[in-house]
Amino acid sequence: TTQYQFAGSSGVTVGATTANSATFNVNVGFAPGELFLDRTITVTRRYTNAPTCDVNRVFTVRVYNQTIGGTPSDFPDRCEGVSIGPITLSGHVGTIVRWEVKVGAAAYVTYVGPASGNSITPGLLAANTYLFRALVGNGPCPQVYSTEESVIVSPSIGAFTAGPDQNLCALTSATLAATLPGGTTGSWSYVSSVPAGRPAPIFAVPGSGTTTVSIGSAVNSGAYTLRWTIVSGLCTVTDDVVIDFGN
């Protein structure tokens, strides 16, 4: 008569057995980022009496590490017209099956933009809120999503101006003529003067493009550079105007 003997390599131990079958317990340790380990199971067929005449068959078993979705890199929010990316996945175990993107309130769809290795570079995007995630798989193990990376793209600011330069005579105040695109906020600030060191002028309503600006007294006469700053979400733009109050 013959019998079967079963043995496993490192991390593989024999569980329950019958005359011609066995179950095995697998307990292996993975190095960081290691996707799988190969182990062997040896089945020996032999006679129960001498000479046993052993015949061995060795089976390779691939043990896969548990899939981990990982984390996309943090990419700052941007103003429309500025390229987005790269966004890089790290801390994952497995390979990237695909990237997905969610735009505004829509559902996730497959990302089809530029990609290389573990990174994507969405590039120029229209104003909206974007969520990016990766689907990671490792062999027969269940696929797992990464965490999400949110990028807000603020609308770009339309055409605007701080208004024309002005040359005044014997005046200590002027009416400014800046424009303010819809959906934005503006503010005036003092940049410099010629002669240098003049006191900061006073803006009647700093947030109004058409406010008045005053230097207070003729002794403060000179050419003042004023800056009109416009903000829309994450977008900030500026334009300067020179008001020369003369002597």
Side-chain angles (χ1 to χ4, degrees):
T1 60
T2 59
Q3 65 179 4
Y4 290 91
Q5 293 181 337
F6 305 93
S9 60
S10 174
V12 181
T13 57
V14 180
T17 61
T18 66
N20 58 5
S21 67
T23 59
F24 295 84
N25 302 313
V26 178
N27 183 17
V28 297
F30 293 94
E34 196 167 29
L35 300 184
F36 59 83
L37 291 171
D38 287 335
R39 292 292 185 263
T40 58
I41 293 174
T42 301
V43 179
T44 302
R45 184 170 182 257
R46 62 187 303 181
Y47 292 114
T48 55
N49 298 315
T52 58
C53 300
D54 292 7
V55 177
N56 297 324
R57 291 191 64 184
V58 179
F59 299 89
T60 298
V61 178
R62 177 157 289 181
V63 183
Y64 284 88
N65 200 350
Q66 182 178 357
T67 310
I68 298 176
T71 305
S73 58
D74 184 25
F75 193 86
D77 298 335
R78 286 288 189 253
C79 181
E80 191 175 19
V82 178
S83 182
I84 305 300
I87 297 172
T88 302
L89 185 69
S90 63
H92 59 293
V93 174
T95 57
I96 298 174
V97 177
R98 66 177 179 270
W99 284 88
E100 296 181 353
V101 58
K102 182 179 186 294
V103 184
Y108 270 102
V109 296
T110 299
Y111 168 83
V112 295
S116 177
N118 296 336
S119 301
I120 59 172
T121 306
L124 298 177
L125 300 176
N128 217 318
T129 298
Y130 296 82
L131 294 177
F132 298 93
R133 68 182 182 184
L135 180 64
V136 179
N138 190 31
C141 302
Q143 295 179 343
V144 178
Y145 279 109
S146 70
T147 59
E148 297 175 326
E149 169 56 16
S150 172
V151 179
I152 298 173
V153 179
S154 295
S156 60
I157 297 174
F160 78 103
T161 177
D165 294 341
Q166 299 183 43
N167 295 302
L168 309 173
C169 181
L171 295 176
T172 58
S173 65
T175 300
L176 302 174
T179 58
L180 184 65
T184 65
T185 59
S187 62
W188 286 104
S189 60
Y190 169 50
V191 178
S192 63
S193 67
V194 178
R198 289 291 194 249
I202 303 300
F203 300 99
V205 183
S208 170
T210 56
T211 190
T212 59
V213 59
S214 173
I215 60 172
S217 171
V219 297
N220 295 324
S221 62
Y224 288 72
T225 299
L226 310 178
R227 179 161 295 160
W228 180 233
T229 300
I230 294 180
V231 176
S232 174
L234 298 168
C235 306
T236 300
V237 291
T238 63
D239 189 32
D240 291 349
V241 63
V242 176
I243 309 298
D244 190 345
F245 288 94
N247 292 310

